[in-house]
């Protein structure tokens, strides 16, 4: 029977070793779990820092872009005001030009009418003088013509043959 006892003792020792081995495996797995949790927390910490840095970078960029937009809006508003002022000034200048042209055209038309009146008056006066002088000229022409006829006859020429 001693061999049986020996076997029982092996079984008992084996169970003790299994218990110790089970406790060692459990401790090792607890250790691995703690290491993994530590690494996970470190990774989470690094990611949190990266996230915070990215958020800060995005906020900085956002502020810079907002300032740029604000500046561009101010420039746009100023350019629109300048364009409106230039448009008003151009309209005013064009209005003045149109008014000046209208005045000049009216002045030219008035001058044309006056010159036409002067010309017609002068021509009418000239015609009146010519009409007044024509009878005298006709007399002078007839007298001159008669004298020339007489001179031709004195030279023995027939005035009708010429």
């Amino acid at each position: 029977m001693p061999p049986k006892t020996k076997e029982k003792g092996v079984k008992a020792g084996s169970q003790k070793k299994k218990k110790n081995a089970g406790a060692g495996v459990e401790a090792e797995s607890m250790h691995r779990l703690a290491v993994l949790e530590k690494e996970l927390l470190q990774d989470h910490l690094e990611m949190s820092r990266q996230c915070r840095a990215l958020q800060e970078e995005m906020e900085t960029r956002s502020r810079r872009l907002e300032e740029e937009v604000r500046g561009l809006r101010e420039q746009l508003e100023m350019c629109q005001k300048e364009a409106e002022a230039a448009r008003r000034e151009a309209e005013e200048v064009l209005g003045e030009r149109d008014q000046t042209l209208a005045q000049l055209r009216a002045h030219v038309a008035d001058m044309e009418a006056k010159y036409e009146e002067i010309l017609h008056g002068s021509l009418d006066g000239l015609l009146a003088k010519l009409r007044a002088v024509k009878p005298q000229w006709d007399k002078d022409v007839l007298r001159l013509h008669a004298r020339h006829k007489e001179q031709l006859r004195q030279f023995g020429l027939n005035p009708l043959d010429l």
Side-chain angles (χ1 to χ4, degrees):
M1 296 241 184
K4 283 186 178 179
T5 316
K6 232 180 184 181
E7 285 182 7
K8 277 188 180 181
V10 171
K11 276 188 174 179
S14 168
Q15 281 181 356
K16 240 185 200 184
K17 283 182 184 177
K18 282 185 183 177
K19 280 185 183 179
N20 286 340
V25 169
E26 189 176 324
E28 186 178 330
S29 83
M30 290 296 277
H31 177 69
R32 269 197 247 157
L33 182 62
V35 167
L36 287 174
E37 284 180 355
K38 179 183 170 189
E39 288 176 3
L40 182 65
L41 287 173
Q42 285 176 343
D43 287 346
H44 182 69
L45 179 65
E46 288 171 7
M47 283 189 205
S48 294
R49 287 178 184 162
Q50 287 176 348
C51 183
R52 215 173 298 123
L54 287 174
Q55 282 177 340
E56 288 174 5
E57 184 180 325
M58 289 300 292
E59 287 174 4
T60 303
R61 186 163 188 238
S62 175
R63 278 192 299 268
R64 189 172 17 101
L65 290 174
E66 285 174 0
E67 289 173 10
E68 186 177 343
V69 166
R70 201 173 304 116
L72 290 173
R73 281 189 179 145
E74 289 173 2
Q75 286 179 355
L76 175 63
E77 186 178 326
M78 189 169 51
C79 287
Q80 285 174 336
K81 286 179 182 178
E82 288 174 1
E84 180 63 25
R87 185 190 61 77
R88 272 191 254 117
E89 183 180 344
E91 284 179 354
E92 185 177 319
V93 167
L94 287 175
E96 290 173 2
R97 184 202 67 176
D98 291 345
Q99 184 179 4
T100 303
L101 284 174
Q103 288 173 348
L104 289 173
R105 285 187 182 122
H107 184 65
V108 166
D110 186 45
M111 287 176 62
E112 283 179 358
K114 285 179 182 178
Y115 284 127
E116 188 175 343
E117 185 180 316
I118 291 170
L119 181 63
H120 283 291
S122 296
L123 290 175
D124 289 345
L126 181 62
L127 281 174
K129 286 180 183 179
L130 286 174
R131 283 187 190 124
V133 174
K134 187 174 188 285
Q136 179 62 38
W137 280 0
D138 287 344
K139 285 181 191 175
D140 289 345
V141 166
L142 285 175
R143 193 174 19 97
L144 187 63
H145 189 61
R147 192 177 83 188
H148 284 294
K149 270 182 162 178
E150 187 57 38
Q151 284 177 352
L152 286 172
R153 282 189 188 139
Q154 286 174 2
F155 288 121
L157 295 172
N158 186 2
L160 296 175
D161 288 343
L162 297 175

